[in-house]
Amino acid sequence: MSTTAISGAQVFDGEKPLGVTTVVIEGSRIVQVGGDAPAGAQIVDGTGATLLPGLIDAHVHTDRASLALALKFGVTTELEMQGANTRDRRTPISEDDSVADVRSSGFALTPPGGHPSELFPEDFHPGRPAGGGQGGGHRGEPPHHPDATSPEAAAASIPQLLAHGSDYIKFMIDDGSVEGHPGLPMLDQATLNAGVAAAQKHGALTVAHALTIDATRMAIEAGIDGLVHLFVEPATDDIIAMVKDAGVFIVPCTVLNASMMGITGDQLADDPRVASRLDSDWDATLRSCFGHYPQGKLQDVLDSVKALADARVDLLVGTDVSQPMPFLGGLAHGASVHQEMQHLVAAGLTPAAALRAATATTARRFRLSDRGRIAEGLRADLLLVDGDPTTTITDTLNTRAVWRRGARLAA
Ligand SMILES: [Zn+2]
């Protein structure tokens, strides 16, 4: 088994800076943090750089090509919040160190005709990429579509989803108002309660799509574990207190809210460190935006993020990035994770808190005990960047090297 020692770099272990520390990788694992490099180890000189755990995007919709793009930006795991990359279908991805690893909810509980059907042109089927090329590597049974037409049906769908390889269970709570499609069919409280209770009875983590304060309140009343969006309206003291008291985590996806408010990803796309890694389809997508909620204000979202952080609510970095299509724009796999961290810092988090939100906090809340930190025995999912992102968050884009399971990604 090959042994590699990364020496001379400052280490951020997912929770805190450790100073200049040697990290040793053997095969796919981290075997030593601190001390001297073992004799015979291949040395990677990390002078002037910072070693981080591989980043985790806690809200994506993805496929093999997108996972490859994410990895180029040091994102070693993507958490899919509706899609086809369930446990039995992703074996080729799990074994391929040229793409990011993935976990998936499979398909979310939503009523017939409910969100996200309003987002797509009639001939577009999310999770089934046109041409079939992008999704390559899928095996096993087709993804299971749960039935959320009644509390009983929702509860009965949960063991089916888990049997089909869902890693956690997602609930859509959306009446379409934020997307400019008011009146969409939406889960009612009783169906949501029954689904969440059934999932938790089976030991599954539950997450909700909720873009409004009302939907957030419904999710919390049902006992949800986490929210994979942040409401777009200005926060109230009541909702911040409710989130805090419930102990739920939030994946704000500030970049998505910005896109819905009409802010494109032009600024990120103009960064040469980003432009050099995007093809023309992703460049065009990043330079676009959703734009369904122009009445919203990004500063309200940033203020909510700060209020939640001050209340010690666990915040996780996520983007809601999807396919390279301008109507899903303002986002790009991997790149947008870095912009999300920049938004969190703009909201008032420290750079270290933003890094935690993309590593250790996410691993802990999603029960991924083998990653998200630099510690002995964990997966060698690592990102080495020039500079010091614990003081300058934009330094996360100064990629020097990426390792996935100890395999260094070819430059
Ligand atoms: Zn999403």
Side-chain angles (χ1 to χ4, degrees):
M1 209 178 292
S2 69
T3 302
T4 300
I6 304 158
S7 62
Q10 177 186 227
V11 173
F12 179 83
D13 72 356
E15 283 159 356
K16 61 190 180 305
L18 302 182
V20 173
T21 305
T22 297
V23 172
V24 182
I25 305 170
E26 205 171 273
S28 64
R29 298 276 152 181
I30 297 164
V31 295
Q32 183 186 323
V33 180
D36 295 326
Q42 186 201 335
I43 305 291
V44 173
D45 180 8
T47 307
T50 301
L51 187 67
L52 308 165
L55 305 174
I56 305 171
D57 187 336
H59 190 153
V60 305
H61 308 275
T62 197
D63 56 33
R64 199 179 188 118
S66 295
L67 290 160
L69 179 58
L71 190 63
K72 286 183 188 164
F73 285 94
V75 175
T76 50
T77 303
E78 289 194 331
L79 305 180
E80 187 170 65
M81 296 297 155
Q82 169 132 313
N85 293 290
T86 47
R87 194 173 49 245
D88 298 341
R89 296 166 54 81
R90 65 168 174 262
T91 309
I93 288 167
S94 304
E95 297 303 319
D96 181 353
D97 292 323
S98 70
V99 301
D101 198 13
V102 66
R103 295 289 180 276
S104 183
S105 64
F107 279 77
L109 282 88
T110 196
H115 177 79
S117 60
E118 84 287 354
L119 287 180
F120 301 101
E122 288 208 343
D123 58 345
F124 184 90
H125 301 286
R128 287 169 242 160
Q134 292 186 351
H138 284 154
R139 290 177 186 167
E141 298 179 72
H144 181 68
H145 285 257
D147 178 349
T149 51
S150 70
E152 297 72 27
S157 285
I158 301 301
Q160 300 262 6
L161 282 165
L162 296 171
H164 282 78
S166 291
D167 295 286
Y168 32 82
I169 304 296
K170 185 180 181 191
F171 299 85
M172 301 287 193
I173 313 171
D174 198 328
D175 66 0
S177 55
V178 175
E179 291 91 347
H181 285 261
L184 278 187
M186 184 177 92
L187 285 182
D188 60 41
Q189 188 74 53
T191 304
L192 180 61
N193 292 351
V196 171
Q200 290 172 345
K201 192 182 92 185
H202 284 87
L205 189 78
T206 57
V207 296
H209 161 107
L211 283 167
T212 62
I213 289 176
D214 279 350
T216 300
R217 194 175 287 120
M218 283 181 69
I220 291 174
E221 278 176 13
I224 207 85
D225 296 295
L227 297 154
V228 294
H229 285 290
L230 176 58
F231 47 83
V232 294
E233 315 103 305
T236 61
D237 292 346
D238 274 2
I239 194 67
I240 298 293
M242 194 176 185
V243 168
K244 174 188 166 72
D245 293 346
V248 299
F249 64 84
I250 295 195
V251 187
C253 299
T254 308
V255 286
L256 182 270
N257 288 12
S259 173
M260 289 195 304
M261 294 169 181
I263 300 169
T264 71
D266 278 345
Q267 195 188 347
L268 184 65
D270 287 340
D271 187 323
R273 301 170 297 178
V274 172
S276 60
R277 292 179 248 191
L278 299 184
D279 65 19
S280 56
D281 286 347
W282 275 114
D283 181 73
T285 299
L286 182 55
R287 290 181 185 283
S288 177
C289 69
F290 278 73
H292 302 150
Y293 194 70
Q295 65 270 46
K297 293 190 178 63
L298 180 59
Q299 190 58 50
D300 290 338
V301 177
L302 298 178
D303 290 346
S304 298
V305 166
K306 181 62 162 60
L308 292 164
D310 288 347
R312 300 191 164 275
V313 171
D314 279 336
L315 298 175
L316 281 54
V317 163
T319 61
D320 204 7
V321 63
S322 186
Q323 299 198 22
M325 313 236 170
F327 69 93
L328 302 169
L331 308 167
H333 282 269
S336 294
V337 167
H338 298 265
Q339 189 169 37
E340 182 69 8
M341 291 191 288
Q342 294 171 22
H343 278 313
L344 296 184
V345 171
L349 275 69
T350 64
L355 293 170
R356 272 196 291 279
T359 56
T361 306
T362 309
R364 174 168 52 81
R365 295 303 305 242
F366 274 89
R367 307 171 184 170
L368 300 168
S369 58
D370 63 345
R371 67 194 70 190
R373 290 178 298 123
I374 297 178
E376 287 172 20
L378 299 199
R379 277 167 69 105
D381 288 352
L382 298 165
L383 168 60
L384 185 68
V385 298
D386 292 331
D388 182 5
T390 67
T391 57
T392 304
I393 195 64
T394 51
D395 280 356
T396 57
L397 277 165
N398 298 333
T399 313
R400 199 189 280 193
V402 177
W403 289 264
R404 199 262 205 186
R405 287 197 312 181
R408 186 170 176 168
L409 184 66

